[in-house]
């Protein structure tokens, strides 16, 4: 796979509840294309806990540190296919330790930086996924159908989850690495779950993604599109979305398909 084949857009926007409470967006995201013996696209997202005083810092640190570890792994010459659960567990333990050290240096507790963490790493032949907490990673499983990789980790109630700073999360995180030529995928935090997932049937709302991806495939150049990402942010901040969710929202989309179609917009009507 040549690196120029991937097209990506991404954004994190504050929820209306945060605007009312004058609190910052606690979501974070990061993407990168790592060049090595095989090129690997990495997408990461994190949702800071609303009850944690510094969770916006925790989510940024979590994304940065996990992506950095994927980079070191690939640039050292290792194939993504060789990535194992125990390696990822050591990464997560290191990141949790960094958050704890940061908290202690400021006389705070790790839980003040509580956040979820999701990441997808895609090579030409394999896909690796990591998840702690809610939110989801979805991939295109057919011409018009999408499937989730892991169902969101919720607690006893739908509005509860687990966080990277929870000791039990480091033992119960979700991981998968398998042979798969993924062409398109999306990563999103729990602020979009109610719109993009059907809880009763535990399925993905495929029409949403079928409406979003044509504009991405039609980009004249590969790489990350800032203009289309800005349009995505405007859409996620629109009344159509905010009337259904008042939480922070993060969405990353990636495709290595290209079409000549020129859609009017990047977002569903």
């Amino acid at each position: 796979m040549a690196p120029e084949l991937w097209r990506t857009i991404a954004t994190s926007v504050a929820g209306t509840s945060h605007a009312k409470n004058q609190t910052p967006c606690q979501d974070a995201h990061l993407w990168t294309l790592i060049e090595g013996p095989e090129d690997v696209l990495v997408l990461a997202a994190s949702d800071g806990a609303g009850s944690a005083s510094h969770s916006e810092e925790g989510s940024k640190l979590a994304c940065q540190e996990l992506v950095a570890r994927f980079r070191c792994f690939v640039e050292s010459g290792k194939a993504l296919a060789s990535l194992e659960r125990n390696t990822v567990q050591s990464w997560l333990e290191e990141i949790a330790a960094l958050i704890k050290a940061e908290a202690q240096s400021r006389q705070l507790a790790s839980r003040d930086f509580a956040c979820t963490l999701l990441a997808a790493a895609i090579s030409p032949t394999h896909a690796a996924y990591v998840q702690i907490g809610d939110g989801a990673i979805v991939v295109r499983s057919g011409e018009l159908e999408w499937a989730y990789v892991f169902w969101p980790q919720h607690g006893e109630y739908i509005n509860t989850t687990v966080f990277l700073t929870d000791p039990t999360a480091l033992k119960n995180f979700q991981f998968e690495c398998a042979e798969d030529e993924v062409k398109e995928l999306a990563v999103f935090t729990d602020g979009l779950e109610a719109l993009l997932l059907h809880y009763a049937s535990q399925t993905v709302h495929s029409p949403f993604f079928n409406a979003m991806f044509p504009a991405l495939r039609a980009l004249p150049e590969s790489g990350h599109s800032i203009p289309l990402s800005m349009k995505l942010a405007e859409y996620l901040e629109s009344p159509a979305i905010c009337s259904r969710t008042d939480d922070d929202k993060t969405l990353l989309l990636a495709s290595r398909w290209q079409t000549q179609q020129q859609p009017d917009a990047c977002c569903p009507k």
Side-chain angles (χ1 to χ4, degrees), residues 238-256:
S238 69
I241 298 298
C242 292
S243 64
R244 300 179 63 187
T245 173
D246 64 356
D247 199 2
D248 294 339
K249 295 167 282 292
T250 289
L251 179 59
L252 301 93
L253 307 177
S255 175
R256 45 178 160 167

Side-chain angles (χ1 to χ4, degrees), residues 11-15 18 24-30 44-50 55-60 63 115-116 118 134 188-192 236 247-251:
T11 191
S12 293
V13 299
H18 288 243
C25 177
Q26 294 167 319
D27 276 12
H29 70 272
L30 191 61
S46 178
D47 175 15
S55 64
E56 71 277 9
E57 297 177 59
S59 61
K60 290 178 183 178
C63 288
C115 60
T116 65
L118 307 89
D134 48 22
F188 55 90
T189 54
D190 81 311
L192 289 169
L236 295 184
D247 199 2
D248 294 339
K249 295 167 282 292
T250 289
L251 179 59

Side-chain angles (χ1 to χ4, degrees), residues 12-234:
S12 293
V13 299
T16 53
S17 62
H18 288 243
K20 292 177 182 177
N21 297 328
Q22 296 184 327
T23 55
C25 177
Q26 294 167 319
D27 276 12
H29 70 272
L30 191 61
W31 67 272
T32 189
L33 184 67
I34 307 167
E35 296 185 42
E38 57 177 8
D39 299 313
V40 177
L41 177 73
V42 181
L43 306 175
S46 178
D47 175 15
S51 59
S53 60
H54 292 70
S55 64
E56 71 277 9
E57 297 177 59
S59 61
K60 290 178 183 178
L61 182 61
C63 288
Q64 291 169 355
E65 292 296 332
L66 184 56
V67 169
R69 281 157 178 75
F70 270 112
R71 180 178 295 280
C72 289
F73 185 86
V74 173
E75 291 183 345
S76 68
K78 297 176 182 176
L80 187 64
S82 68
L83 184 62
E84 298 179 345
R85 181 183 178 87
N86 60 353
T87 298
V88 176
Q89 182 168 348
S90 68
W91 292 352
L92 297 175
E93 289 172 348
E94 291 169 359
I95 297 169
L98 286 173
I99 291 176
K100 182 178 181 180
E102 176 64 20
Q104 290 178 337
S105 72
R106 297 160 65 175
Q107 297 184 323
L108 297 168
S110 293
R111 63 178 176 273
D112 291 319
F113 295 78
C115 60
T116 65
L117 184 58
L118 307 89
I122 312 297
S123 78
T125 60
H126 285 74
Y129 306 103
V130 181
Q131 182 161 341
I132 291 178
D134 48 22
I137 302 165
V138 300
V139 297
R140 196 168 67 120
S141 61
E143 189 66 26
L144 295 174
E145 295 302 320
W146 292 76
Y148 62 85
V149 177
F150 307 116
W151 192 250
Q153 289 183 316
H154 288 293
E156 183 179 357
Y157 304 102
I158 193 66
N159 61 344
T160 61
T161 190
V162 295
F163 300 108
L164 175 61
T165 49
D166 297 338
T168 56
L170 300 179
K171 298 179 180 179
N172 300 317
F173 72 94
Q174 295 169 296
F175 171 75
E176 178 183 306
C177 184
E179 185 174 358
D180 192 1
E181 295 184 17
V182 173
K183 302 295 186 184
E184 293 184 324
L185 71 157
V187 179
F188 55 90
T189 54
D190 81 311
L192 289 169
E193 278 184 24
L195 284 74
L196 307 186
L197 300 176
H198 294 293
Y199 292 124
S201 61
Q202 289 203 349
T203 57
V204 177
H205 183 56
S206 292
F208 178 91
F209 296 103
N210 293 335
M212 296 290 286
F213 270 82
L216 185 57
R217 299 173 194 142
L219 287 171
E221 297 181 355
S222 59
H224 186 70
S225 173
I226 294 177
L228 203 58
S229 294
M230 293 175 65
K231 288 184 179 180
L232 177 62
E234 291 174 2

